[in-house]
């Protein structure tokens, strides 16, 4: 008898309820059913989109039991709207080409107009050209009290950083999170300054934090501060002679190929390249080319994929590009004037280095060909943007371009995530992320195939993660199915009963002598405090109408017994009437000077001179 048979024989001797019961594992479909997006949250303006399918699917879902709907070969939707079952995805090719399932996400095979039946041969490769957008499910990473203005996902897709206008950075780890989706660490890089940009190093062991202050910070993977770059002298006129930025930072990015080099841009009108190994010195200062000498802020900056070129968005609407080569300086290799009419909020290179995306506060997204930069290849308009950190992004295969839109006061669309076809340069889909919050930063991670979008306003902010269980990997799928740890018997803690008998007056200690003296001074009887003088009228025998005099004085004045004539007398006459008495009977000082002093002569009154 082998060991396995022996264990079974021993187990048979015990009841079935003996031992620790095994936990029932939830079905994956049941776990992700709580995070499904409603079909009303997506808007698809593509010409090939047929709204009657969405209406039919909604009605079918509402009135499900029609009896035998799955066996009938008609156009009814099979299964719940999001996501469509795998059997239903394979059925349209076998039937009549009708799309089964919700209108979102738009399938690449349905991008062709339904009326063009004869043009299928030219679009056979459309499913390979446009990737399927993972939109069926959604989770939200909350915690910020204001709009989330910065986003960074490490290269493995396991750790997410989000920075906000509430001055904090929150760190999320998919492997350690449960379904509560709480951050494991919160940082405040610089007190009172907004977080404007976050960037991981190429090895994802450190990250760069850009705030509204003039100093960038470097943290390790766990959120511990490694260093802070030096600040320049604001009283030096020439920016090339300053050791660092002198005004608030606007953007920054880690070199994608060099783990020791970073790039920052600032409101002082310069870009600077730093060496992470030395926080007190910079490698290069780049001053953009301007029409006239001034300090115009640099609002955005990025590296290309190879770390050989730098592009910056200047506050005057120009886009300037520098190639890093021996002996290079501040003179740009490419200078595009009036690229935008407002501040440039985001720039993005394509992987092949031929396409440049620029997002601006003028509600446009422009696609540029770096081989011909005189004019943009395409301008996408009507994309509201009210935040200085709104960025464009590419899909993993770079066939789609995505960016977020801001909420307008009189608009009703809410915050949208817009997808554009890079090859056809047309709008593919608009996905509603939030009905009342603006979408700022967006990213489509290539390894986990999930779309990130940060939203928020003045009161709340969060990071939306869109995924599809059928095509996405790890990331949100890991933490959604992990239930919070339940409290067990071992976690019980008896609340202690605190006895404090000396809190009662009976058991209270005698107060100190100092406290007794202070208490006695407040008692007017013990301290023998004298009565205060009478200041108001009507007290101590004084009447308010007597003007401060006693009652007897007041009555005598009223009766004419006391006459006050000094108010009507002339002061000079009152003094001179005592002159004769003083001369005849001098007192005090006058006799001592009687022989030496001349006779006083008093001036006569004007009335006597006039009479003469």
């Amino acid at each position: 008898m082998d060991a396995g048979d022996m264990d079974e024989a021993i187990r048979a001797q015990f009841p079935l309820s003996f031992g620790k019961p095994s936990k029932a594992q939830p079905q994956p479909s049941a776990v992700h059913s709580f995070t499904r997006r409603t079909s009303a949250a997506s808007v698809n303006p593509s010409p090939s989109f047929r709204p009657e399918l969405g209406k039919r699917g909604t009605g079918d879902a509402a009135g499900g039991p029609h009896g035998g709907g799955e066996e009938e070969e008609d156009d009814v939707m099979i299964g719940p709207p999001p996501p469509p079952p795998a059997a239903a995805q394979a059925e349209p090719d076998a039937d009549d080409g009708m799309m089964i399932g919700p209108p979102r996400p738009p399938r690449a095979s349905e991008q062709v107009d339904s009326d063009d039946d004869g043009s299928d041969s030219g679009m056979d490769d459309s499913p390979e050209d446009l990737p399927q957008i993972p939109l069926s499910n959604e989770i939200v990473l909350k915690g910020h009290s204001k709009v989330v203005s910065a986003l960074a996902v490490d290269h493995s897709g396991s750790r997410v950083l989000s920075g906000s206008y509430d001055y904090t950075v929150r760190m999320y780890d998919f492997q350690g999170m449960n379904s509560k989706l709480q951050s494991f660490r919160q940082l405040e890089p610089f007190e009172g300054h907004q977080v404007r940009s976050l960037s991981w190093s190429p090895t994802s062991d450190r990250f760069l934090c850009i705030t509204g202050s003039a100093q960038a910070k470097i943290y390790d993977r766990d959120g511990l501060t490694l260093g802070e770059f030096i600040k320049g002298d604001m009283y030096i006129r020439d920016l090339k002679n300053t050791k660092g930025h002198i005004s608030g930072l606007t953007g920054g990015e880690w070199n994608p190929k060099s783990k020791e080099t970073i790039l920052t841009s600032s409101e002082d009108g310069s870009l600077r390249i730093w060496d992470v190994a030395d926080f007190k010195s910079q490698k290069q200062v780049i001053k953009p080319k301007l029409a006239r000498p001034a300090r115009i802020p640099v609002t955005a900056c990025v590296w290309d994929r190879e770390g050989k070129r730098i592009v910056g968005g200047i506050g005057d609407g120009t886009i300037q590009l520098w190639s890093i080569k021996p002996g290079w300086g501040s003179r740009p290799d490419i200078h595009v004037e009036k690229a935008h009419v407002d501040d440039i909020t985001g720039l993005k290179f394509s992987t092949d280095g031929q396409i440049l995306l620029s997002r601006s506060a003028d509600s446009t997204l422009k696609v540029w060909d770096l081989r011909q930069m005189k004019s943009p290849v395409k301008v996408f308009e009507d994309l509201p943007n009210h935040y200085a950190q709104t960025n464009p992004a590419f899909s993993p295969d770079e066939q789609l371009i995505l960016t977020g839109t801001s909420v307008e006061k009189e608009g009703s669309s809410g915050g949208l995530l817009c997808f554009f076809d890079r090859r056809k340069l047309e709008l593919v889909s608009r996905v509603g992320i939030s009905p009342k919050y603006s979408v700022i930063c967006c990213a489509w991670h290539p390894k986990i195939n999930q779309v990130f979008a940060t939203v928020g306003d003045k009161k709340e902010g969060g990071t939306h993660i869109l995924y599809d269980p059928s095509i996405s990997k790890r990331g949100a799928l890991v933490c959604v199915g992990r239930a919070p740890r339940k409290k067990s018997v071992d976690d019980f803690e008896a609340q202690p009963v605190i006895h404090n008998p000396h809190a009662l007056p009976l058991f209270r200690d005698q107060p100190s002598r100092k406290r007794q003296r202070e208490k006695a001074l407040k008692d007017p009887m013990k301290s023998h405090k004298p009565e205060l003088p009478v200041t108001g009228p009507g007290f101590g025998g004084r009447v308010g109408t007597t003007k401060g005099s006693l009652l007897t004085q007041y009555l005598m004045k009223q009766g004419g017994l006391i006459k006050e004539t000094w108010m009507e007398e002339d002061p000079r006459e009152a003094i001179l009437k005592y002159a004769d008495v003083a001369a005849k009977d001098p007192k005090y000082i006058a006799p001592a000077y009687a022989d030496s002093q001349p006779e006083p002569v008093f001036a006569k009154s004007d009335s006597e001179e006039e009479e003469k």
Side-chain angles (χ1 to χ4, degrees), residues 109-164:
S109 60
E110 297 291 340
Q111 296 295 325
V112 190
D113 194 359
S114 59
D115 297 333
D116 283 333
D117 297 330
S119 60
D120 295 342
S121 59
M123 300 299 294
D124 290 340
D125 56 347
S126 58
E128 289 78 10
D129 292 342
L130 292 180
Q132 183 179 355
I133 305 174
L135 297 175
S136 62
N137 297 62
E138 177 184 24
I139 62 172
V140 183
L141 304 180
K142 298 181 180 180
H144 289 288
S145 60
K146 289 186 179 180
V147 60
V148 180
S149 56
L151 173 69
V153 188
D154 70 341
H155 303 287
S156 64
S158 61
R159 191 156 290 189
V160 180
L161 304 175
S162 65
S164 171

Side-chain angles (χ1 to χ4, degrees), residues 285-344:
V285 181
I286 306 170
K287 293 173 62 178
K289 179 181 177 182
L290 302 175
R292 60 181 62 88
R295 285 188 177 177
I296 300 179
V298 182
T299 57
C301 64
V302 291
W303 296 91
D304 70 341
R305 184 177 177 84
E306 300 299 325
K308 299 294 181 63
R309 290 184 294 181
I310 296 171
V311 65
I314 318 301
D316 57 2
T318 62
I319 295 177
Q320 302 185 26
L321 186 142
W322 296 267
S323 297
I324 299 179
K325 51 191 176 184
W328 71 289
S330 294
R331 186 176 183 85
D333 297 326
I334 297 177
H335 179 268
V336 183
E337 294 183 356
K338 298 180 180 179
H340 288 276
V341 297
D342 208 337
D343 288 347
I344 299 170

Side-chain angles (χ1 to χ4, degrees), residues 409-443:
K409 290 183 179 180
E410 298 179 355
S412 59
S413 59
L416 304 176
L417 195 60
C418 301
F419 293 85
F420 305 93
D421 189 347
R422 174 184 172 181
R423 183 168 57 87
K424 295 182 180 180
L425 297 176
E426 63 182 12
L427 181 63
V428 175
S429 176
R430 291 192 304 168
V431 180
I433 301 297
S434 176
K436 58 180 180 178
Y437 297 147
S438 301
V439 179
I440 297 93
C441 299
C442 60

